[in-house]
Amino acid sequence: MAHASGRGGTQTIDYLRTTLVIYQALPERDELTAHIERHLTRTGARHPEHALLLRAYVRWSLLPRARRAHRRPGGFKHRVRWPTPASTLPSPSSPP
């Protein structure tokens, strides 16, 4: 598979893949799961000291939820969200 650098490259690859799926040149797949796996690969490469922990968290928590959401008719009720440092820290205005 082609390697995309940056968000624009990934969007180009996603567009091309979607076009090929529409014309039945490629099989359909769970795009949310594929996106999570690509994000995990990029994040693990940027933060190798946390790669093992991230891989375990994604494999045992995020991917099963994404797969269940894909199988559910009507899509998914709650989007899978990646924890970010900003979302895990209390805001300055919140009481301790």
Side-chain angles (χ1 to χ4, degrees):
M1 175 159 195
H3 175 69
S5 60
R7 187 174 299 250
T10 302
Q11 288 175 343
T12 302
I13 290 173
D14 289 343
Y15 175 79
L16 178 60
R17 185 176 198 332
T18 301
T19 303
L20 291 172
V21 168
I22 289 170
Y23 286 101
Q24 299 177 348
L26 289 176
E28 289 189 34
R29 69 174 180 187
D30 178 6
E31 292 299 326
L32 180 59
T33 301
H35 174 76
I36 290 170
E37 289 171 347
R38 278 194 316 265
H39 186 71
L40 174 64
T41 301
R42 286 192 310 264
T43 304
R46 278 190 312 238
H47 305 284
E49 68 278 9
H50 301 297
L52 186 62
L53 179 64
L54 280 171
R55 213 173 295 119
Y57 172 71
V58 168
R59 182 171 292 126
W60 292 101
S61 182
L62 292 182
L63 285 177
R65 284 191 286 160
R67 289 183 184 120
R68 282 192 304 270
H70 179 71
R71 289 191 300 262
R72 196 173 20 233
F76 47 92
K77 185 175 179 182
H78 303 287
R79 287 195 63 99
V80 176
R81 295 178 187 244
W82 288 89
T84 60
S87 67
T88 57
L89 297 175
S91 65
S93 62
S94 66

